Amino acid sequence: MLKQNFMKNTITLFRTLLLILCFSFPVTASAEKIVLSKEATISILTCAPGNELYSLFGHTGIRVIDNINQIDVVFNYGTFDFDTQGFYLKFARGLLPYQLSVSNYYGPYGFLSSYNKQKRSIYSQTLDLDSIQKQKLMDLLIENYEPQNRSYLYNFLYDNCSTRVRDIIEKSLNNEITWSTQEQDKSFWNLLDEYLRRSPWTQWGIHTILGSPANTDATNREQMFLPDYLMYALDSAYHPNGERLAQPIEILYQAPEQDHSTPWFLSPFFVFFIGMGILIFIFQKTKSICLVKGISILFFIATGLIGCLIVFLGFFTKHPTTFPNFNILWANPLNLVVAFFIARKHISWLVSKYLLIYLGILVIGLISWFFLTPAVLPSTLFIIIWMIYLTVHTRYLRTRI
C-alpha cells in the first residue's frame, strides 16, 4: 500500500513538473503537444473593473481545466514586460508589445489570488465544445504561446485582451459562431464613459488627450473590446446547429461592494467652475501686476504643454482615435511660446495678433460645442471661458491695472 501511494505521488509530481516545463520554457511548449482528456473544460473568465487606470475596463482570460492531466491554468493576453528596451518611450508611442502569458488558477501567486487581493469579481462561462473543438482551441493557445507568436502590438480599442479571446474562439470554430446580441447605438465614447464616470478626473484626462474619431458608433463586434460586452455577447452566441456556445454565467468570486466614487465637490466640473470664478474675481480686484502676470504665464504654459501632448499623440504615435482632437483649440502648443512674451511690460505686435486669433478660435470653439458633438466634456467649457477672459485681459486690459 505504501509503495502504491509512493508511485501515485511520483506520477502526479512528474505530471505537474511536465506541465510547468511546458508553460515555462517556450521551446518545450512548442515541442510538447498537450492532449486534453474528454473531461477537460475551457471557460472564459471575465474580471470586474478595478481602481487602477489599467484595470478600469475589466479583463478577460481563458481558463483550461483538465483534472486528469493535472491542468488548471489561465491564458492571459494582457501582460507586458517592464524590462522591454525603451519601455516608457514605446508605451507613450503606443508601440509597447503585449504578450500572452500563462499562470496557475490557484496558488499564492495564481489568477484567483491576484483578483481576490484586488477585490475584483470573477465570472466564468464554460464553452460548450466537443473534444475536437477543445483540442483545437488548446492547440491554438499553445501555438500563440510560442516565442515568435506570443507578442502583439496592443491596441486598446481594436486589439486587446478581450478581442484576442474572441478571435481565437472564432478561429477554433472556423468562424461559425452566430452572435445574437441586440444592436446598440453606442459610440466608443459612450462605451468608455460607462466605466469612466466613477473616475471623473481620469475621464477628463482621457477625453482631453483622445480625439473625436471615438465619437463614431461601434458595431456589436467592435463593442467586444470591453470584457463585459464580450461576456454578454458569449451569453447569446450560438453554434451553427442552434446550440448555445457558452453555459450560463457563473460567479467564481464575488468581491465585496466598494464605493470609490469621487464626491461631487471634487469633480472637474465643480473644481473648474469654482476655480474660474475665483480667478476672475482675483483679476478684477487685484492691483498687483506681478500676480496677474504670474497667473497668466502659468496658464499659457499649462495649456501649451497639454497642446504639445495632443500633437505628439496625434502625429507621432500609434494610439487610436487621437486625431483630430478639438481640445487643440484651447490647448494650443503655441501658448507655450507666447507665455514667455506676455511676461514683458509691453506686448509685441506679433504676440498681440496671435492673441487676437487665439481669442477668435476660443469663441468659435465655445459656440461650436453646442451644435457639434466633440469629445470635449462640459467641464472643459469652464477652461475655455477662463482662457477667453485671460486672453482678453492680457491683450486689452492688463495695461489698465
Side-chain angles (χ1 to χ4, degrees):
M1 184 69 178
L2 182 62
K3 184 176 180 180
Q4 288 179 344
N5 289 337
F6 174 77
M7 289 299 295
K8 182 179 180 181
N9 292 336
T10 301
I11 293 173
T12 301
L13 177 61
F14 174 76
R15 285 176 173 173
T16 303
L17 290 174
L18 179 61
L19 181 64
I20 293 174
L21 286 172
C22 286
F23 288 122
S24 298
F25 300 97
V27 176
T28 308
S30 60
E32 296 286 346
K33 178 179 175 64
I34 299 176
V35 180
L36 297 177
S37 69
K38 293 182 178 180
E39 287 73 26
T41 61
I42 300 179
S43 55
I44 307 305
L45 302 182
T46 303
C47 305
N51 299 316
E52 302 297 331
L53 178 60
Y54 68 87
S55 64
L56 283 177
F57 306 97
H59 183 58
T60 301
I62 302 177
R63 183 184 182 187
V64 179
I65 305 174
D66 189 347
N67 293 327
I68 292 179
N69 288 313
Q70 304 293 318
I71 296 175
D72 192 351
V73 295
V74 178
F75 290 83
N76 178 2
Y77 282 98
T79 57
F80 52 83
D81 186 1
F82 281 103
D83 294 327
T84 301
Q85 186 176 6
F87 174 85
Y88 292 104
L89 180 59
K90 288 182 178 179
F91 179 81
R93 297 188 62 197
L95 298 174
L96 182 67
Y98 276 59
Q99 299 176 346
L100 171 64
S101 64
V102 183
S103 64
N104 291 323
Y105 181 76
Y106 291 107
Y109 302 103
F111 190 88
L112 177 61
S113 176
S114 174
Y115 284 89
N116 192 316
K117 291 176 183 177
Q118 298 177 50
K119 305 300 180 186
R120 296 170 60 187
S121 299
I122 303 176
Y123 306 93
S124 175
Q125 294 166 284
T126 301
L127 299 178
D128 280 326
L129 307 174
D130 59 35
S131 296
I132 296 176
Q133 292 168 335
K134 283 185 281 190
Q135 187 61 55
K136 184 175 181 180
L137 179 53
M138 185 64 174
D139 292 343
L140 287 172
L141 288 169
I142 296 299
E143 181 183 357
N144 270 196
Y145 189 66
E146 292 180 356
Q148 69 273 23
N149 300 329
R150 68 176 60 172
S151 296
Y152 69 100
L153 189 59
Y154 180 88
N155 185 311
F156 174 63
L157 296 181
Y158 304 110
D159 193 358
N160 63 13
C161 69
S162 184
T163 62
R164 286 261 159 173
V165 169
R166 175 202 63 199
D167 293 346
I168 199 168
I169 295 173
E170 288 182 329
K171 187 175 181 180
S172 70
L173 297 174
N174 301 316
N175 294 310
E176 295 180 342
I177 298 176
T178 301
W179 303 99
S180 302
T181 48
Q182 187 176 359
E183 288 290 338
Q184 302 181 70
D185 294 329
K186 292 185 178 181
S187 69
F188 285 102
W189 275 128
N190 295 146
L191 296 166
L192 294 174
D193 283 338
E194 291 177 7
Y195 297 83
L196 291 172
R197 288 191 185 98
R198 64 193 186 102
S199 302
W201 284 101
T202 302
Q203 182 185 33
W204 181 82
I206 292 178
H207 269 267
T208 300
I209 62 176
L210 293 185
S212 293
N215 274 332
T216 57
D217 287 341
T219 63
N220 279 4
R221 181 178 177 79
E222 289 174 332
Q223 291 174 11
M224 296 181 205
F225 82 94
L226 291 168
D228 286 340
Y229 278 77
L230 175 61
M231 179 175 69
Y232 298 135
L234 286 170
D235 198 42
S236 59
Y238 295 89
H239 289 285
N241 60 7
E243 294 182 358
R244 289 173 59 95
L245 173 61
Q247 296 177 16
I249 300 170
E250 176 188 0
I251 301 176
L252 298 184
Y253 167 66
Q254 182 65 62
E257 289 290 336
Q258 303 179 78
D259 183 13
H260 295 284
S261 59
T262 301
W264 63 270
F265 53 86
L266 294 179
S267 67
F269 189 91
F270 184 79
V271 171
F272 291 162
F273 174 71
I274 296 298
M276 178 192 69
I278 292 174
L279 288 170
I280 292 177
F281 179 80
I282 291 174
F283 269 57
Q284 290 295 112
K285 297 297 182 180
T286 187
K287 299 297 182 181
S288 173
I289 296 179
C290 291
L291 178 61
V292 169
K293 283 186 177 181
I295 295 175
S296 300
I297 292 171
L298 177 65
F299 274 92
F300 272 91
I301 289 177
T303 54
L305 288 174
I306 295 174
C308 290
L309 178 60
I310 291 173
V311 170
F312 173 75
L313 292 173
F315 293 97
F316 303 101
T317 73
K318 293 293 184 178
H319 291 294
T321 68
T322 54
F323 179 83
N325 187 336
F326 288 107
N327 286 290
I328 199 73
L329 298 180
W330 64 268
N332 193 319
L334 293 177
N335 285 2
L336 192 61
V337 178
V338 172
F340 296 96
F341 290 93
I342 62 176
R344 298 177 179 179
K345 185 176 182 179
H346 298 289
I347 297 175
S348 67
W349 175 85
L350 186 60
V351 173
S352 179
K353 289 297 181 183
Y354 168 79
L355 292 175
L356 181 61
I357 295 173
Y358 180 56
L359 176 61
I361 292 174
L362 288 173
V363 173
I364 293 173
L366 180 63
I367 297 173
S368 300
W369 186 90
F370 295 95
F371 300 98
L372 304 176
T373 56
V376 179
L377 293 176
S379 54
T380 304
L381 296 182
F382 297 123
I383 298 179
I384 297 176
I385 294 171
W386 161 245
M387 292 306 296
I388 289 175
Y389 175 87
L390 183 60
T391 304
V392 171
H393 191 279
T394 302
R395 190 176 191 275
Y396 299 104
L397 306 178
R398 194 176 70 178
T399 56
R400 300 180 186 178
I401 297 178

